[in-house]
Amino acid sequence: MMLSMMISGLKQPGNDIDVYLSPLIEDLKLMWDQGVEVFNRFSNETFKLHAMLFCTINDFLTYGNLSGYSVKGHKACSICEEDIASQQLKHGRKIIYLRHQRFLRSHHAYRRLKKAFNGHKETSDPPTPLTGIEVYEKVYNIDHTFGK
């Protein structure tokens, strides 16, 4: 198992994220395609180790940075997509996102709480997740602009 961490400083890499990730990606390609010779101390033998990236754990801002998805503004929820409910606060520039109680069970007590949320009882169902084909149709024509 390999743990790779990236902790940004004061300035975020933005579109230049590929510059920071390229050494990791090169190592992962090597370990997937060719593998690397590793010594097993227990059996006193070497073997070829192949590896892959299984998952990533990151906060929402890093998710946006790695995926290229916008995590700011009125349409920032990657789950809700077009069915998002956002609102700009009256006395500020902050945008809030509403109606997340719809992801709870239909009879959950929080769905009936009006005062704690936006003043309305939540009765709608969560948005239907996109199929793989629908995701592909959304992204196959995207023009990629890489960093430095």
Side-chain angles (χ1 to χ4, degrees), residues 51-124:
M52 64 182 242
L53 179 64
F54 179 67
C55 68
T56 63
I57 301 171
N58 40 265
D59 62 11
F60 199 58
L61 294 175
T62 305
Y63 160 73
N65 201 301
L66 291 174
S67 68
Y69 197 89
S70 174
V71 294
K72 298 175 183 172
H74 288 278
K75 301 282 185 187
C77 182
S78 60
I79 305 299
C80 299
E81 289 279 328
E82 306 303 321
D83 196 23
I84 195 167
S86 62
Q87 174 182 330
Q88 188 161 349
L89 292 179
K90 193 181 283 186
H91 300 291
R93 294 177 19 205
K94 184 172 181 149
I95 297 171
I96 59 171
Y97 305 99
L98 308 166
R99 299 183 55 219
H100 281 89
Q101 310 95 288
R102 62 187 165 159
F103 292 97
L104 298 170
R105 292 185 322 272
S106 59
H107 297 293
H108 196 283
Y110 282 5
R111 281 180 164 258
R112 296 185 299 274
L113 290 179
K114 296 178 185 179
K115 191 175 181 182
F117 296 103
N118 62 345
H120 301 282
K121 178 179 173 182
E122 185 58 64
T123 58
S124 63

Side-chain angles (χ1 to χ4, degrees), residues 10-89:
L10 297 175
K11 186 174 179 340
Q12 297 293 322
N15 283 344
D16 296 335
I17 189 73
D18 55 317
V19 173
Y20 292 95
L21 294 178
S22 63
L24 174 64
I25 292 169
E26 289 171 14
D27 287 347
L28 286 169
K29 282 181 177 178
L30 172 73
M31 293 182 80
W32 176 258
D33 293 335
Q34 300 167 7
V36 291
E37 289 290 323
V38 177
F39 180 72
N40 182 339
R41 172 101 180 169
F42 183 75
S43 64
N44 283 332
E45 297 176 345
T46 59
F47 67 96
K48 192 162 281 220
L49 175 71
H50 292 269
M52 64 182 242
L53 179 64
F54 179 67
C55 68
T56 63
I57 301 171
N58 40 265
D59 62 11
F60 199 58
L61 294 175
T62 305
Y63 160 73
N65 201 301
L66 291 174
S67 68
Y69 197 89
S70 174
V71 294
K72 298 175 183 172
H74 288 278
K75 301 282 185 187
C77 182
S78 60
I79 305 299
C80 299
E81 289 279 328
E82 306 303 321
D83 196 23
I84 195 167
S86 62
Q87 174 182 330
Q88 188 161 349
L89 292 179

